[in-house]
Amino acid sequence: MAAAVALGPGASGRLQAGVARLVAVCSARLGPGSRPPGSLAGRQVGPAVWAQGWAPAARGPGPRRGYSSEVKAEDELRVRHLEEENRGIVVLGINRAYGKNSFSKNLIKMLSKAVDALKSDKKVRTVIIRSEVPGIFCAANLPVPTIAAIDGLALGGGLELALACDIRVAASSAKMGLVETKLAIIPGGGGTQRLPRAIGVSLAKELIFSARVLDGQEAKAVGLISHVLEQNQEGDAAYRKALDLAREFLPQGPVAMRVAKLAINQGMEVDLVTGLAIEEACYAQTIPTKDRLEGLLAFKEKRPPRYKGE
């Protein structure tokens, strides 16, 4: 039965008000000065409040070609802005070998500072999060696509951080699982909420109740990761796949990418009717952009578009 048929007196108005509030939230997260379309338009909204995730992986620093700068070996967090054909891709590498990438107050502070800087940088198109400690994946709020590259262990908090990313890729030899129940606690970093959303409630319960650890192939089979790769000699197969994906994202309109991510994230938390209203509000944000006009002109002239994120 359609939802409208089941509504009692006054319920329709309450539903519309609820939709309007959700669309206002959506528009608020799109950036300063955004307005919802049509009858839902209201006052201008404040600065963007973005929500998304964290997680790393891989072995060794990887190829140095294309990095704009190097950092001191003792730094716990390495932020690398790639250059040349990879311009727009940022790699966040956790480098806390002596603590097996466990979180310290200093590392959390550095992560928070890095994320805040990346959120306001319009040149950033995709963020790859990896571990620079061989065999360990562990440890965000970013409006751009985030990819977790899992080349080693991602247990407990490490997997929770990977779950907060948009896309997860892993080597077949990687190990991942929410193992907290073995310690008589539960996943407390979003695992009980994000894992069911990723693989379904029943299977998520099974994995959490059993504290089971999956390898890359098993994780792919249950839908926990998008891609699984045979590990290479350098130990960074997942990172290389993440880089390939990030390169696929680079040519697309940056405003559209951010808004698409927002529409998906917000829409998954509500019913379909409200989700479609959120999509409409997000779509409206792309119409007045210079990038949209550039995309149409490039298509007409049969050339690659030159997007500026405007």
Side-chain angles (χ1 to χ4, degrees):
M1 182 180 292
V5 177
L7 293 177
S12 178
R14 289 194 297 273
L15 174 61
Q16 290 180 352
V19 170
R21 286 195 297 272
L22 282 165
V23 172
V25 171
C26 171
S27 298
R29 296 188 177 190
L30 294 174
S34 301
R35 288 176 180 269
S39 62
L40 295 178
R43 63 181 179 83
Q44 289 192 336
V45 298
V49 180
W50 299 96
Q52 215 0 59
W54 257 107
R59 185 174 190 173
R64 298 198 176 196
R65 179 179 178 273
Y67 290 147
S68 61
S69 61
E70 294 295 325
V71 295
K72 296 179 180 179
E74 65 267 27
D75 285 350
E76 294 184 347
L77 177 67
R78 297 179 175 181
V79 182
R80 293 190 172 108
H81 293 254
L82 305 192
E83 295 290 355
E84 301 175 7
E85 70 274 14
N86 297 322
R87 187 182 299 274
I89 301 173
V90 176
V91 179
L92 298 179
I94 308 297
N95 184 46
R96 196 166 183 263
Y98 53 89
K100 295 187 177 180
N101 277 357
S102 61
F103 279 95
S104 65
K105 290 182 179 179
N106 181 56
L107 179 56
I108 292 174
K109 182 178 180 180
M110 293 174 70
L111 288 173
S112 178
K113 184 177 180 181
V115 169
D116 285 343
L118 293 175
K119 281 194 294 185
S120 60
D121 189 345
K122 291 185 178 181
K123 295 180 181 179
V124 176
R125 303 293 182 86
T126 299
V127 175
I128 298 174
I129 306 170
R130 65 183 299 212
S131 168
E132 297 194 352
V133 179
I136 301 292
F137 180 95
C138 185
N141 299 322
L142 292 166
V144 296
T146 54
I147 306 172
I150 308 171
D151 276 304
L153 297 176
L155 303 176
L159 180 55
E160 287 180 305
L161 292 174
L163 284 166
C165 285
D166 299 313
I167 300 166
R168 290 168 293 282
V169 299
S172 57
S173 58
K175 301 294 182 183
M176 60 202 83
L178 297 179
V179 297
E180 286 85 349
T181 52
K182 283 188 175 182
L183 302 175
I185 58 175
I186 70 169
T192 63
Q193 302 305 303
R194 291 193 174 100
L195 186 62
R197 285 168 168 80
I199 66 173
V201 174
S202 181
L203 187 53
K205 287 178 178 178
E206 180 180 331
L207 294 183
I208 291 174
F209 294 166
S210 65
R212 188 179 304 158
V213 175
L214 307 178
D215 62 25
Q217 293 290 352
E218 292 168 328
K220 177 65 167 62
V222 301
L224 180 54
I225 61 175
S226 301
H227 302 276
V228 59
L229 304 308
E230 289 299 320
Q231 188 56 282
N232 57 28
Q233 192 170 9
E234 292 77 16
D236 64 353
Y239 168 67
R240 291 179 182 274
K241 178 61 177 180
L243 191 57
D244 288 341
L245 290 173
R247 290 182 183 128
E248 283 191 65
F249 302 162
L250 282 179
Q252 321 313 330
V255 173
M257 294 288 282
R258 291 177 178 232
V259 173
K261 174 172 175 172
L262 177 61
I264 295 170
N265 287 351
Q266 295 294 310
M268 288 301 293
E269 302 301 320
V270 297
D271 61 88
L272 179 59
V273 173
T274 307
L276 291 172
I278 291 173
E279 180 185 78
E280 180 185 0
C282 290
Y283 178 79
Q285 305 302 313
T286 66
I287 300 302
T289 63
K290 295 179 181 179
D291 279 354
R292 185 183 72 88
L293 298 178
E294 166 61 16
L296 292 173
L297 183 61
F299 179 78
K300 180 180 179 181
E301 297 177 353
K302 298 181 179 180
R303 60 169 174 82
R306 295 183 289 270
Y307 295 127
K308 298 181 179 179
E310 301 175 350

